[in-house]
Amino acid sequence: MNRLELAGLAARPAQVWGGIRLVPLVREQPVEGLRLHREIYTGYGNGVVDVGPRTHYTSYIPHGFVADWSGEGVRSAAYGTQLGTGNSPGNPPRTARLHRNRHHRMAKRQPGDRLRFLPLHLAMEGYLALHFGGPAVAWEEWSRQALRDGLSPRAEDAYMGWSVRGLGDALRAFEIHPGQCGVMVYAADALAAAFVLPHPDDYRLLHPSLVQDLYGELVHQYALYGAPVAEFAARISDGPHLRSLAGLRAAARAQEREWAEAHDTLFARELLDTSYTFDRVYRMGSFTLWRFLPPFLRNGEGQHIGETITDHKGQVAYLKTFRLSEAQIRRGHLLHRLSDADWRLSQAAVALGTTEEELVRRIRAAGFESLLRARA
Amino acid sequence: MATSTETTRTGTGADLVAAEDVLLFVNAAITATGQREFRSTAYQQRLSLDFLHEYVRVNYRRVYAAALALDINDHNAVRIAQGLLESAADANAEEKRTEGRLIAARLAKLPPQRVYRLFRALRGAKVNNRRTRAIMRDWLAARPDPAHDAVKYRAGLKTAARHVHLRFGGPGEPGETGDFLFRPGRRPRYRHQLLDAWRRAHYEQGAVDELPFTVAEGFAARHGMKREVFLERMVPRMTRLERLRTQGQRSTGDDVRLPTDIDLTVMPLTRLALYVLSLGFEVRGLHRKELTHALRTAARRAAGPHAGSWGRVAAVLDDSYSSSGSGEKRRRPLAVALACHFLLEALAAPGAYIPLWTSGGTDPLLVRPWGPTPLGTRVLDALEHGPDRLVIVSDGWDNAPPGLAGEVLRVWRSRLDPDRRTAVVHVNPVYDADGFDVRRLAQGVPTAGIRDAEDLPALVEIAQFAEGLTGPAALYAYLDRQVARFVSGEKAGAAS
């Protein structure tokens, strides 16, 4: 599996609000056997997450998602919360040490087929932990600190949905389609996020949560500085062939179809055509929770990290993506090239088609200054 | 109105622009209330409306005044009256006379609290010319019971009386009201029952029941009276709307019954639709018969002489999510659509009415604001029935796909129905602050703003001017007729 398959989801005409374009994704049939719910945390999104023994990170966490594949229905998941407890090595437990009220604690006692996870944090953590350990071989260019601690600590900035200009209003004025299970958010016609859920009811519930999510720096800037985007209004050419109401109806239908095709090939292409590295996080029955990383190609196209839940056929039941900014892609690219070259600067410079001095400059520019020894 | 006799002689471009401006202002004055709408904030609405009022007042003063004779909403009527009185210097003597008559006629129709608010605004703006004083004095003199106003609109009457130097104490009224307002405590008791009740209500719970409901509410809170008990005792003194509003507080628990003390069938149609939509689905389902009967009766009354005269009618009614309105205008667009549904049913020939809701629902009583607005598809469905008239009730935001309704209507008009066998009209209950008008669907389709469904027949008349088939001359003649009718006291439209 190296691609996202949005089979079963059809794009409906976009709704535009200022610089934000929202494209609804509609399912004919909801995905059987999986529901998602929201779990709300106190503390206005301040959260600390344990990612391993004596390792934790602090981040903005407005809510968690509860994946429920018990098939028991809506109510059960609101009470039941099972934290991921993979104790095996190599699959560190992701537990959140958060302020929980008694409600949660009570429910924790009865484990069910439920999984709580923090939306976008799986993906973000995957990105932050890229070659986290730093150089594996002690080449002389690398500092002591790099060898001892690796890339620690790494931090990335993100913006809350509230601060993405126009997004709150766009989501408020958006008219949810019947059967809608997802949405693609565009800021100044750049894909900012994709959000897919298994069931329309879940979507209705989680639609407002989009405004609390994380968005990349690029999205924030596009929304702030971008002009209002044009609406793709329907156009029917009224040639002499159009002689009956049936003909008019056919032309109207064609407009709707055209839009769906145009969206998949034009707008969402960068998301759907990229091959990703998938990393399995959790198995739950026939569903699998993955996180994925893009290839970090520097071809100027948008690259997305994210997480997804697929069923046994590979169909996407849940999807949430985060668009990386140019600088973030550059960092990922650099780390990958360095790792491929066993962290040997000379070899990496050849692979990148540049000189060693230039590579050192790029490493510094990417904010990894502390990795290098002072003399270099 | 003798508007622009010089301009109507030639159908120049400027003349057409003027006619368009007039229609734009009329649409705005019918729909905009300066309150929050689904898509724009109250501030945007007010800003937009401010500009429009000033623009029309300066450029088309006569038209601005004449708008008072149309079925515009109370908010704009008050604003126009204030605007005219504030800028009296711009008008000549003849204009002033017409304006004065129009304002006086309009004030007589407005709810008193709005008029008192207008008087307060005039005082705040320091407008106190002779004409203003005369208008205010005439209106105050025409009030049926000054003592009632003194109790219910105490601050308002006080401000107004001060502003116009009003002397209380006519032949039948020995100055008690004046003392009540300006010299409280001078008289040990009042001969007028209401004034005395107000005095006693300060220390006697029994007197509270004798006051108007809104005044009594304050005293009841002060005496710490139990709300339910108080409401039950106040029922005979409440207005119909107050009774409806407190219905939920008066019935105990989850009791789902319709008010027995109010005859729903005599309520105005749109008001009734709003009330129906405020009820839960179970209540609506349970009382389907009564509610439908009430709505049908109100619609037949609103249709009046037009009933059954519209032939085959198809309606596209918008019940998309945006018809939920805003916190300040809750479900207003949906209520207008619902009221239009019943009104059109009454206007159409028996059995020749086809309603099409955008959500695809078929039960008008159980409508709810939900889903996208696929107007284009619904318009196609409607046209398939080959109606004589197609009425579209929508806020004009067509989004699935955007602009399809406009395209369908354009192609239909230009290629399939060039000789206009089907009359299409779009009525829009929402003012678009950015466009200074209600949103349109297509160039060839007339759009009219609507506030109360009862005005539909009158609006269809106005909408024909927007189509550009009848010239500006006809529009001005229409305005003249409305003004003449309005000033002479005859009821012009269907409702106010």
Side-chain angles (χ1 to χ4, degrees), chain A residues 120-188:
Chain A
L120 276 181
H121 284 255
L122 288 178
M124 205 55 185
E125 210 257 322
Y127 172 74
L128 286 171
L130 264 186
H131 311 290
F132 183 75
V137 186
W139 307 112
E140 60 167 8
E141 296 90 344
W142 303 102
S143 72
R144 279 168 167 282
Q145 196 215 328
L147 293 170
R148 201 177 57 236
D149 298 335
L151 284 160
S152 177
R154 270 188 72 192
E156 293 290 341
D157 292 338
Y159 289 83
M160 257 176 92
W162 289 115
S163 58
V164 175
R165 184 164 160 183
L167 183 66
D169 282 334
L171 289 172
R172 180 184 60 79
F174 180 79
E175 300 188 326
I176 296 174
H177 284 250
Q180 183 175 348
C181 286
V183 71
M184 296 247 191
V185 182
Y186 294 85

Side-chain angles (χ1 to χ4, degrees), chain A residues 12-327:
Chain A
R12 289 277 182 271
Q15 294 178 31
V16 166
W17 188 259
I20 305 285
R21 183 192 303 279
L22 298 173
V23 178
L25 301 172
V26 174
R27 269 189 218 282
E28 287 287 313
Q29 280 294 320
V31 174
E32 294 287 327
L34 180 75
R35 299 295 297 268
L36 276 172
H37 310 274
R38 188 158 70 139
E39 187 179 284
I40 297 168
Y41 301 134
T42 53
Y44 305 104
N46 297 319
V48 178
V49 186
D50 284 345
V51 286
R54 274 176 293 155
T55 313
H56 66 269
Y57 81 99
T58 313
S59 177
Y60 164 73
I61 306 169
H63 48 248
F65 280 175
V66 180
D68 174 359
W69 66 101
S70 61
E72 279 170 29
V74 189
R75 299 265 169 209
S76 56
Y79 292 100
T81 301
Q82 185 194 343
L83 301 176
T85 52
N87 281 329
S88 53
N91 186 10
R94 290 187 174 76
T95 51
R97 196 178 293 151
L98 298 164
H99 298 285
R100 260 179 247 111
N101 51 31
R102 283 196 357 229
H103 194 61
H104 287 152
R105 230 179 263 143
M106 273 170 63
K108 218 163 62 175
R109 290 195 199 119
Q110 29 171 297
D113 287 345
R114 298 184 191 98
L115 171 76
R116 198 277 283 114
F117 61 94
L118 304 171
L120 276 181
H121 284 255
L122 288 178
M124 205 55 185
E125 210 257 322
Y127 172 74
L128 286 171
L130 264 186
H131 311 290
F132 183 75
V137 186
W139 307 112
E140 60 167 8
E141 296 90 344
W142 303 102
S143 72
R144 279 168 167 282
Q145 196 215 328
L147 293 170
R148 201 177 57 236
D149 298 335
L151 284 160
S152 177
R154 270 188 72 192
E156 293 290 341
D157 292 338
Y159 289 83
M160 257 176 92
W162 289 115
S163 58
V164 175
R165 184 164 160 183
L167 183 66
D169 282 334
L171 289 172
R172 180 184 60 79
F174 180 79
E175 300 188 326
I176 296 174
H177 284 250
Q180 183 175 348
C181 286
V183 71
M184 296 247 191
V185 182
Y186 294 85
D189 277 343
L191 181 59
F195 184 43
V196 174
L197 289 168
H199 197 279
D201 290 352
D202 295 348
Y203 183 79
R204 295 191 70 75
L205 215 64
L206 295 175
H207 176 78
S209 78
L210 275 165
V211 91
Q212 299 175 330
D213 277 336
L214 307 174
Y215 293 89
E217 184 189 352
L218 196 76
V219 174
H220 176 261
Q221 285 174 3
Y222 276 3
L224 187 60
Y225 300 116
V229 291
E231 197 148 22
F232 285 100
R235 287 275 170 277
I236 297 174
S237 58
D238 49 346
H241 58 277
L242 208 64
R243 248 175 263 107
S244 67
L245 206 56
L248 184 56
R249 189 182 283 276
R253 285 263 168 73
Q255 283 294 310
E256 288 173 32
R257 255 200 323 279
E258 250 173 53
W259 159 257
E261 280 163 22
H263 173 258
D264 287 353
T265 53
L266 204 72
F267 281 98
R269 188 178 53 85
E270 63 182 34
L271 181 70
L272 300 178
D273 281 5
T274 316
S275 59
Y276 296 92
T277 332
F278 280 86
D279 178 9
R280 196 167 77 196
V281 178
Y282 198 86
R283 264 316 268 277
M284 31 187 173
S286 58
F287 296 100
T288 318
L289 175 61
W290 308 82
R291 68 173 170 224
F292 55 85
L293 290 169
F296 296 107
L297 296 176
R298 300 207 47 215
N299 54 2
E301 285 193 359
Q303 311 230 349
H304 303 259
I305 58 172
E307 63 219 10
T308 178
I309 295 176
T310 56
D311 64 3
H312 59 282
K313 283 180 287 187
Q315 191 191 350
V316 169
Y318 160 80
L319 170 73
K320 206 170 178 74
T321 69
F322 175 92
R323 187 197 176 103
L324 297 173
S325 71
E326 268 306 301

